[in-house]
Amino acid sequence: MDNIEDFRDYCLSFKGVSEKFPFDERTLVFYVMNKVFCLVDIEEFEYCNLKCDPDEALELRSQYEGVKPGYHMNKKHWNSVYFNSDVPVKHFKEMIVNSYNLVAKGLKKADKDFLQNL
């Protein structure tokens, strides 16, 4: 991911995604049906936080230098994934998809049904 615009477009391309600045004017948060799946600092654009299966999170951290425990997040369930690191773009995008799917899977039935009908 080269810039915030491409990153933002990619995150917004999934069903039921919205974006907000709930904490400050620089931390952009992406939601699927009002549940967070990604956070990014739009000024620094150094890394993003993505939700991850705990076992996979540990595996990714050992595989890539650019994957660290989630900064200011629950370290068991979140990774900080650094742009311009050793993480290939294709795998980076897969991590975004996995975060989205993990959060979507945990939605209430009514929200899941609504999401599928979009």
Side-chain angles (χ1 to χ4, degrees):
M1 304 273 171
D2 293 330
N3 58 58
I4 185 63
E5 291 84 14
D6 291 343
F7 179 79
R8 183 176 168 265
D9 288 345
Y10 187 71
C11 289
L12 289 173
S13 71
F14 304 112
K15 282 178 152 186
V17 172
S18 60
E19 60 184 346
K20 299 176 194 164
F21 290 92
F23 308 115
D24 53 41
E25 286 136 22
R26 59 188 289 169
T27 307
L28 179 59
V29 181
F30 295 94
Y31 300 82
V32 54
M33 302 298 296
N34 294 315
K35 297 283 185 181
V36 176
F37 77 94
C38 179
L39 300 91
V40 65
D41 183 320
I42 62 170
E43 290 179 18
E44 303 269 330
F45 195 63
E46 185 179 3
Y47 67 90
C48 68
N49 284 334
L50 298 170
K51 191 151 191 174
C52 192
D53 171 79
D55 292 331
E56 186 180 357
L58 293 173
E59 184 180 319
L60 290 168
R61 292 173 200 166
S62 69
Q63 186 176 1
Y64 297 110
E65 264 188 52
V67 179
K68 308 281 186 204
Y71 183 69
H72 281 292
M73 305 296 284
N74 180 324
K75 312 274 187 260
K76 181 177 179 182
H77 296 279
W78 290 84
N79 279 335
S80 292
V81 185
Y82 285 77
F83 303 104
N84 302 316
S85 69
D86 61 335
V87 180
V89 172
K90 180 181 177 186
H91 202 175
F92 205 125
K93 286 184 174 184
E94 288 172 9
M95 286 188 249
I96 296 168
V97 170
N98 289 343
S99 179
Y100 171 88
N101 287 337
L102 188 61
V103 173
K105 183 177 149 186
L107 293 172
K108 292 185 249 174
K109 184 178 179 341
D111 288 340
K112 285 182 191 176
D113 292 345
F114 182 82
L115 192 60
Q116 285 191 342
N117 291 323
L118 286 178

